[in-house]
Amino acid sequence: MTTAIYWRALDRFSAVVADHPDREAVIYPAGRTAAGLPEYRQLSYAELDEWSDAIAEKALESGITPGLRTIVLVRPGPELYAVLYGLFKIGAVPVVIDPGMGLFKMLRCLQAADAGAFIGVPEAQGVRIVFRAYFRKVKVAITVGGPSFWPGPTLEGWGRKPVAPLPDRTPAPDTDPLLIAYTTGSTGPAKAVVLTHGNLAAMIDQVDAAREHVPPGTSLITAAVAGILELLLGSRCVLPPLIPSKVGATDPAHVVDAVARFGVRTMFASPAVLIPLLRHVEEHGAQLETLQSIYSGGAPVPDWCIEQLRKVLPEDAKVYSGYGATEALPMATIESRELLSGLVAEAHRGHGVCVGRPAKDVRARIVAITEDALPTWADAEARAAELAKSRGIGELVVAGPNVSTRYFWPEQANRSGKIVDGETVWHRTGDLAWIDDEGRIRFCGRKSQHVVTADGPMFTVQVEQVFNTVPGVARTALVGIGERGGQRPVLCVELESGADRGAVETRLRERRAEFEVSEPVTGFLFHPGFPVDIRHNAKIGREKLAVWAAKQLQEAQ
């Protein structure tokens, strides 16, 4: 007989329900006002608790058992949180993915998940039916939303109130899988990351600690995982209208409206949301009076954006730049005051971007740059001397209670991405960095994107930060043309609107000569608009730019 289990962290949620049953848990858009702004509806903590209980009850009846991998393709909203909490209450394992990665890449990933159940919107169910060969193990399929005549069981048909209390359950061991989340695949093949009960529970503690244990109040959420954690801390979660695969298209006027209307205190967003928000506030003189803290992640936030945000926020507000990955969230954070106290200027001189000190209980180390597997820490130490060739810059590896220790798929990723050190498993981030004397991580770029010339390695972010200060430059991207070991380093440049290309190029050439790390750049190519990642709309697709740059140089010959 299968043991009835649940996620221990839900005890926090139950405590909020008991103490504040009528508090709004999720405030979500539903239509528009006469003025064209979003109309919102609200779901209380008691209602979310009952609804997720009903889902847990019906899921068990339908054959979704503890440990069963269950694909969840539901848009951000109250339904998503009800489904996830319902599955967490019975120990089922949701499998979540970005549909924006492309249909066939997504199908391959979902096939690899080997799931037994599928909960999704009608469009997702249509994909499952048309491509049924990819979902042969799926025995239970539940549709969320859609027309009333949709065949098969639906979330609406399950109702929002359980028939009976859920049976007594035991907290699952911290090592049990809680969630399988896919990486974006923006800088390599998408991988299925196993996040355990303990991993997510540790994230809650880290978010709470980063906020200095101040109650969250009302939080504006633009990333689903942030909502999962915030609800466990008792937050009122406001979801502005957004398209998950195009968060950069979020209307900043809607964000300003939500902040003012609901007294938002904390905001989670990627640079793709923050930059348009800043520009909107500056242009329209909008107020963000209630915001006390902003947490950004997904990609490095431009330092000018952080500096300008400080000017439009209340004086005592804090702006945190977060650094993390699907496998380790968060890894490090840094607050704006420390960042702007001289660390930005150092980045502009080629020292790399400071992403802060490791998060609570996270340890960080640097290993030599290699594509080889490092099965044990002894293997990593054996290559320590190689760091001298890269001026001490190497691959960042991390370990901690929030760090995933394994991939569900592909198995090869466990061999290439993890280092076993006794009872500790170190995660290889694929990011290149160095750690300064104060224990702060200086991020220099992705390992897969670094350029290797005949004279040695060059690191994308480290070099780009030197050039990003040139007036008229929106952003830059270093790429290598040719085979590694003899690559030609070229800088792709995206101009600000109205910038004089000739003047910018002259200044870029002057800037190149000012620093040792930038001197090897052989030329500058101007691009109309960089390709970016799907999830955050902020990570630059340097692999695509390298192909484009090679073609441009070939045509110029």
Side-chain angles (χ1 to χ4, degrees):
M1 181 177 178
T2 303
T3 303
I5 59 173
Y6 74 102
W7 184 27
R8 184 193 304 272
L10 290 177
D11 291 343
R12 291 175 177 258
F13 179 72
S14 299
V16 179
V17 172
D19 293 340
H20 307 283
D22 297 326
R23 177 183 293 172
E24 303 99 321
V26 184
I27 301 170
Y28 58 99
R32 290 182 178 271
T33 66
L37 293 170
E39 191 74 76
Y40 286 90
R41 293 180 183 169
Q42 302 169 346
L43 185 75
S44 73
Y45 269 86
E47 289 169 333
L48 179 57
D49 188 40
E50 277 196 329
W51 193 4
S52 55
D53 271 358
I55 291 170
E57 178 182 69
K58 295 296 184 183
L60 285 170
E61 291 176 1
S62 67
I64 299 179
T65 54
L68 186 72
R69 290 181 294 280
T70 302
I71 293 167
V72 177
L73 285 172
V74 179
R75 296 183 183 90
E79 295 86 359
L80 175 62
Y81 293 113
V83 166
L84 291 177
Y85 273 50
L87 295 176
F88 292 157
K89 285 181 175 182
I90 59 172
V93 182
V95 177
V96 296
I97 194 168
D98 273 326
M101 69 169 55
L103 177 60
F104 288 101
K105 184 185 285 188
M106 180 184 74
L107 285 170
R108 179 70 188 95
C109 289
L110 292 178
Q111 181 185 41
D114 202 26
F118 191 114
I119 301 176
V121 295
E123 298 91 329
Q125 297 290 3
V127 168
R128 178 185 61 81
I129 292 167
V130 171
F131 298 95
R132 59 176 57 88
Y134 289 86
F135 304 99
R136 288 178 177 165
K137 295 284 186 71
V138 171
K139 304 300 180 186
V140 181
I142 311 300
T143 303
V144 178
S148 58
F149 57 81
W150 188 268
T154 65
L155 190 69
E156 289 73 13
W158 275 4
R160 296 199 178 194
K161 292 183 182 293
V163 174
L166 287 174
D168 290 338
R169 291 149 294 145
T170 301
D174 279 351
T175 53
D176 275 12
L178 176 75
L179 179 76
I180 292 178
Y182 278 86
T183 61
T184 60
S186 57
T187 56
K191 300 183 284 289
V193 179
V194 177
L195 295 169
T196 67
H197 286 243
N199 290 154
L200 268 292
M203 287 185 203
I204 302 163
D205 291 335
Q206 289 166 326
V207 168
D208 192 30
R211 201 157 34 210
E212 299 173 2
H213 307 290
V214 175
T218 302
S219 301
L220 188 137
I221 306 295
T222 61
V225 68
I228 294 173
L229 305 180
E230 286 291 288
L231 286 168
L232 295 169
L233 293 170
S235 177
R236 300 165 72 231
C237 293
V238 180
L239 313 180
L242 58 83
I243 303 171
S245 61
K246 296 180 180 179
V247 294
T250 303
D251 190 334
H254 294 169
V255 175
V256 171
D257 170 66
V259 170
R261 199 187 310 190
F262 301 108
V264 170
R265 181 172 177 169
T266 299
M267 178 177 173
F268 292 82
S270 75
V273 173
L274 290 178
I275 292 172
L277 173 63
L278 172 63
R279 288 172 176 158
H280 177 86
V281 169
E282 291 177 332
E283 182 178 346
H284 297 278
Q287 299 296 309
L288 301 171
E289 295 177 350
T290 62
L291 266 180
Q292 290 298 306
S293 57
I294 292 179
Y295 295 83
S296 182
V301 189
D303 49 75
W304 60 261
C305 178
I306 292 175
E307 187 172 4
Q308 292 301 112
L309 277 171
R310 291 218 51 80
K311 296 178 181 178
V312 301
L313 290 171
E315 189 174 347
D316 59 347
K318 295 183 178 181
V319 181
Y320 294 91
S321 179
Y323 168 66
T326 306
E327 299 94 335
L329 185 69
M331 280 191 268
T333 57
I334 187 167
E335 206 279 315
S336 57
R337 290 167 179 81
E338 181 179 9
L339 187 65
L340 297 172
S341 67
L343 295 172
V344 167
E346 291 181 4
H348 294 164
R349 295 195 297 269
H351 291 216
V353 173
C354 183
V355 296
R357 295 172 180 80
K360 179 178 181 286
D361 299 325
V362 172
R363 291 183 288 160
R365 293 177 180 174
I366 302 295
V367 301
I369 301 170
T370 179
E371 297 298 329
D372 295 344
L374 299 172
T376 69
W377 189 252
D379 295 308
E381 286 188 317
R383 306 186 76 137
E386 297 175 22
L387 284 168
K389 301 176 185 177
S390 55
R391 304 182 301 279
I393 295 171
E395 183 175 5
L396 179 70
V397 299
V398 294
N402 63 317
V403 179
S404 172
T405 60
R406 70 183 181 93
Y407 294 99
F408 180 76
W409 177 86
E411 180 56 37
Q412 185 275 335
N414 289 310
R415 294 188 290 274
S416 62
K418 308 297 178 183
I419 305 172
V420 177
D421 180 16
E423 296 296 315
T424 301
V425 176
W426 292 88
H427 167 62
R428 298 176 67 177
T429 65
D431 287 341
L432 301 178
W434 61 282
I435 298 174
D436 67 21
D437 293 340
E438 295 192 35
R440 296 174 300 205
I441 299 167
R442 306 294 186 107
F443 173 65
C444 296
R446 290 290 292 170
K447 182 173 70 172
S448 62
Q449 296 173 337
H450 83 289
V451 177
V452 185
T453 73
D455 295 321
M458 297 178 69
F459 308 108
T460 54
V461 171
Q462 182 187 34
V463 173
E464 292 156 9
Q465 285 293 307
V466 170
F467 293 103
N468 286 346
T469 60
V470 172
V473 169
R475 53 185 170 180
T476 61
L478 179 72
V479 299
I481 308 302
E483 296 296 322
R484 278 198 170 174
Q487 286 182 311
R488 175 182 175 185
V490 174
L491 193 77
C492 298
V493 182
E494 185 180 308
L495 293 172
E496 291 180 343
S497 178
D500 183 311
R501 173 172 166 172
V504 169
E505 185 164 4
T506 297
R507 184 65 188 107
L508 287 169
R509 293 183 184 281
E510 293 170 349
R511 183 74 171 162
R512 173 176 58 186
E514 293 179 24
F515 301 97
E516 183 180 352
V517 297
S518 54
E519 276 186 322
V521 172
T522 61
F524 305 95
L525 294 174
F526 292 87
H527 192 282
F530 289 173
V532 294
D533 70 295
I534 296 160
R535 181 175 297 172
H536 305 290
N537 300 162
K539 294 179 181 176
I540 298 170
R542 293 178 181 83
E543 291 83 1
K544 292 180 180 179
L545 281 177
V547 174
W548 172 83
K551 184 177 179 181
Q552 294 294 113
L553 293 174
Q554 187 176 26
E555 291 175 353
Q557 291 178 351

